[in-house]
Amino acid sequence: MDQDLRHLIKEFLTIYQTLDINGDPAARGHILDVQNKMSTILNNDPPLQQKTPEQKPVCKHLNPAIDKGKEGPFAGLCNAVEKTSRKFRWEFGYSSMPGHLYESYAYTEVLGPDGNVYSDELILGFVLLAPQCYYPDHNHPGIEESYIGLSGECIQNNDEFVKPGGFLYNYPGKMHNLKVPAGKPCLLAYAWNAEPEVLRTYSMNFSG
Ligand SMILES: [Fe+2]
């Protein structure tokens, strides 16, 4: 595996190893599962996939978001993003989506069936949202999702804040939306955990 991408996955693993979650057993189970899968993946040294790098309009916020994130609790992962981002293919994922998202949203899959590094056990990637972006209701049937706050902040479902250093767990099928306040872009890392068949065949859709 490419050394920079390997380092990036290691930084992901370090974060999941140090997350301090009280309470929710489902979130704790998710974290353990993600840790175990990342360790196995790093040991197995999976193949790189050829991906043509691609930018989206929101990428103009990437470097400012990284710079802010390097001052925060997950500076290690932000540094790794800075080193590898030229290899990222930023995508929309949806066949149709609200017009404003074309300017204010994109994600990139680093590890996964479509990742820079192949896996059908786990997906790791990043979501970049512009200031004041509203990412509408959607869910992921059969997929557990967690978000890690790297830079800026956002609010899920009007009451769950993700700030730098923050963690949010979404059980499979949970409906969620994200809002970014004015002022700063928001960079999130995410992990999707599901059965290989689900990860390989999943397609993204907005509800309604
Ligand atoms: Fe989501």
Side-chain angles (χ1 to χ4, degrees), residues 135 138 140 145 147 170 176 192:
Y135 185 0
H138 65 285
H140 321 287
E145 175 183 66
Y147 289 125
N170 290 329
H176 55 290
W192 276 12

Side-chain angles (χ1 to χ4, degrees), residues 87-123:
K87 297 171 186 166
F88 291 176
R89 186 173 75 212
W90 291 92
E91 304 181 59
F92 296 131
Y94 297 95
S95 51
S96 88
M97 64 181 194
H100 65 90
L101 284 183
Y102 286 89
E103 301 294 319
S104 62
Y105 146 86
Y107 79 95
T108 184
E109 186 175 311
V110 173
L111 175 84
D114 256 335
N116 298 81
V117 181
Y118 182 82
S119 173
D120 60 8
E121 297 287 330
L122 182 69
I123 291 179

